[in-house]
Amino acid sequence: PQKKRWATTAPRIPSTRMALQIFDMNYGTQFGSLWPSIRISLLSEQKYGALFNNFSEVEVVAQRLEGLNAMDFIWEAQKAVEDLDSMAEQVSGVPVSSPGTEAEPCEHQEQPIFSISPNIKCYTFPRGDISRFPPAKPDILGILGYYLLDAASILPVLALNVQPGDVVLDLCAAPGGKTLALLQTGCCRALAANDLSGSRIGRLLNVLHSYLPEQLFNTVTITRHDGRYWSKRSDIRYDRVLVDVPCTNDRHSLKEEENSIFKHGRKEERKMLPMLQLQLLVAGILAAKPGGEVVYSTCTLSQLQNEYVVERAVELLKIEHDITVQVEDLSYFRKLFQSTFSFYQDCRLGELVLPHLSANFGPIYFCKLQRLN
Ligand code: SAM
């Protein structure tokens, strides 16, 4: 008798609907009364930022972006802090030094306690303004003036605090938005950009060719390895490591059927995500020098993929490798950028940008770790 093939004929719910059902179940519990507002924002149009390309015709591009009424949110945030400090100085007569509030030129300087990767500019429209950026135009050399991305995805790169002469690893780099931001600092002595996917590496190469002058390519090495086994392939130890892992990509999963991790046949893969993320983070920390800094980031709201992965990685490195890792406090970051983004107030470790209708960026989670030995 012929075998019945129910599985292939039964109607399946679309992946976007499946994602929403799972989010309602998990995030309803995780965020309680905040969930309805996050949910409607996730289902509404997302807001973009324009990562400014320092290697293009900067005056023309700045004029164009300012003409649209967009502002560099990083500069604005730093200026607001400086203004507050100078007011405090005037009142008290005592100089106040704000941690990391200047985009310094890329040369050796005394490090403040909190400092951010310098020279990165990202333009956004003001809170509540839902204008869109037009596509960037190539200049006479064919270089594009800005790269459109979720402005909150710049925060992990700023948190990485790249400093002059740093050797940097971007373990899951494609399609390259954050690699491009890392290179904007002008600080990377060498940058290794790795990804497992060949087609996505193709996109990364396109991005680099559209935004960077030829001479900068000498500093970038592109590889296609499984990041989980990075230390087996290379014994270079890095000053800075970015581990921007694959995740349930919450906003995308509610919009697109194509490539969805919520597809029927990808359930096992989805269940294994936290394990993959943990292995990638551990590999990233093992690739860092003692004293080196690592940022873990995702674009999901899921605690299981965010804080829990960080906690497990810290435990595992201690037990299996006798490596001590310190989770850094980023609350200063939250204060610095609170006028642009809506941050979750109750993150135990790291910071989480929540989608909000007046600032519809994210979700982006990022956590900074220092390898101590
Ligand atoms: N950092 C990128 C950016 O800003 O444009 C986005 C990275 S995306 C969130 C995650 C990437 O991890 C994907 O490009 C995926 O191909 C890659 N990936 C998945 N598994 C991997 C593995 N085992 N090793 C290295 N990369 C992996």
Side-chain angles (χ1 to χ4, degrees):
Q2 261 216 324
K3 223 177 164 185
K4 279 188 185 140
R5 298 179 64 197
W6 294 112
T8 52
T9 51
R12 285 199 188 121
I13 68 163
S15 312
T16 46
R17 182 139 276 279
M18 177 68 141
L20 190 57
Q21 277 179 12
I22 293 178
F23 292 168
D24 277 335
M25 227 158 47
N26 296 341
Y27 299 153
T29 319
Q30 193 180 320
F31 294 101
S33 60
L34 281 179
W35 173 236
S37 145
I38 303 171
R39 185 185 198 270
I40 187 96
S41 312
L42 273 176
L43 292 166
S44 308
E45 196 172 331
Q46 114 180 74
K47 216 173 152 170
Y48 281 90
L51 171 64
F52 189 91
N53 186 8
N54 294 329
F55 306 104
S56 65
E57 291 176 321
V58 287
E59 275 112 39
V60 178
V61 179
Q63 234 176 36
R64 185 157 182 233
L65 291 170
E66 278 152 28
L68 296 169
N69 196 29
M71 287 171 305
D72 173 11
F73 81 82
I74 303 163
W75 187 83
E76 291 285 325
Q78 293 173 324
K79 191 170 166 298
V81 173
E82 271 169 30
D83 290 350
L84 270 178
D85 286 351
S86 69
M87 259 166 58
E89 266 176 40
Q90 277 168 20
V91 174
S92 68
V94 181
V96 180
S97 69
S98 280
T101 54
E102 269 170 38
E104 300 116 4
C106 206
E107 54 192 44
H108 285 278
Q109 294 199 352
E110 184 88 353
Q111 280 308 299
I113 311 162
F114 294 102
S115 125
I116 63 174
S117 301
N119 303 330
I120 299 176
K121 303 181 194 77
C122 184
Y123 283 72
T124 53
F125 291 107
R127 225 174 223 272
D129 180 339
I130 55 162
S131 312
R132 289 191 218 162
F133 289 101
K137 289 184 196 149
D139 62 17
I140 24 171
L141 297 173
I143 301 281
L144 295 173
Y146 53 86
Y147 179 89
L148 296 182
L149 76 187
D150 184 328
S153 69
I154 286 301
L155 299 177
V157 181
L158 292 174
L160 194 58
N161 181 25
V162 179
Q163 291 303 312
D166 275 351
V167 178
V168 182
L169 169 63
D170 187 354
L171 195 62
C172 305
K178 296 187 189 67
T179 315
L180 188 60
L182 286 166
L183 290 166
Q184 296 301 319
T185 63
C187 288
C188 305
R189 178 152 54 97
L191 173 76
N194 176 70
D195 202 281
L196 183 61
S197 154
S199 60
R200 288 174 70 95
I201 286 187
R203 286 170 63 194
L204 169 78
L205 280 168
N206 269 340
V207 169
L208 299 186
H209 282 290
S210 310
Y211 286 86
L212 303 177
E214 289 282 323
Q215 62 271 27
L216 220 79
F217 279 82
N218 300 333
T219 56
V220 187
T221 315
I222 296 172
T223 53
R224 189 190 157 195
H225 295 317
D226 187 329
R228 290 177 290 180
Y229 312 114
W230 184 263
S231 309
K232 292 200 177 124
R233 300 196 164 265
S234 160
D235 43 21
I236 301 173
R237 292 289 169 265
Y238 296 85
D239 300 291
R240 298 287 184 270
V241 182
L242 181 63
V243 186
D244 185 37
V245 294
C247 67
T248 43
N249 203 344
D250 295 358
R251 193 185 278 276
H252 178 88
S253 297
L254 289 175
K255 289 237 166 64
E256 304 280 335
E257 286 297 315
E258 209 177 314
N259 275 333
S260 176
I261 186 87
F262 290 91
K263 257 194 198 134
H264 183 77
R266 295 184 74 183
K267 194 169 173 189
E268 280 312 303
E269 190 187 338
R270 202 170 70 235
K271 279 206 292 198
M272 292 310 288
L273 266 179
M275 179 55 84
L276 171 62
Q277 292 159 339
L278 172 66
Q279 289 175 305
L280 286 165
L281 177 55
V282 167
I285 296 170
L286 289 175
K289 285 179 180 163
E293 294 182 351
V294 178
V295 168
Y296 173 76
S297 57
T298 74
C299 49
T300 176
L301 295 160
S302 159
Q303 255 175 339
L304 269 183
Q305 299 175 62
N306 294 339
E307 289 103 308
Y308 288 170
V309 169
V310 172
E311 276 171 338
R312 287 290 299 122
V314 172
E315 268 171 27
L316 200 144
L317 282 156
K318 188 74 210 161
I319 295 167
E320 289 189 6
H321 300 273
D322 200 22
I323 290 175
T324 309
V325 176
Q326 182 173 296
V327 179
E328 310 261 302
D329 176 21
L330 288 173
S331 52
Y332 178 77
F333 239 77
R334 195 186 330 148
K335 288 196 202 93
L336 190 57
F337 296 116
Q338 67 190 2
S339 61
T340 305
F341 303 103
S342 169
F343 284 94
Y344 184 44
Q345 302 295 322
D346 297 325
C347 239
R348 277 182 304 114
L349 300 171
E351 294 292 338
L352 175 65
V353 172
L354 295 178
H356 190 278
L357 282 182
S358 72
N360 207 352
F361 302 108
I364 293 288
Y365 172 79
F366 56 108
C367 186
K368 183 170 170 180
L369 304 145
Q370 187 173 32
R371 174 176 172 166
L372 296 184
N373 62 317

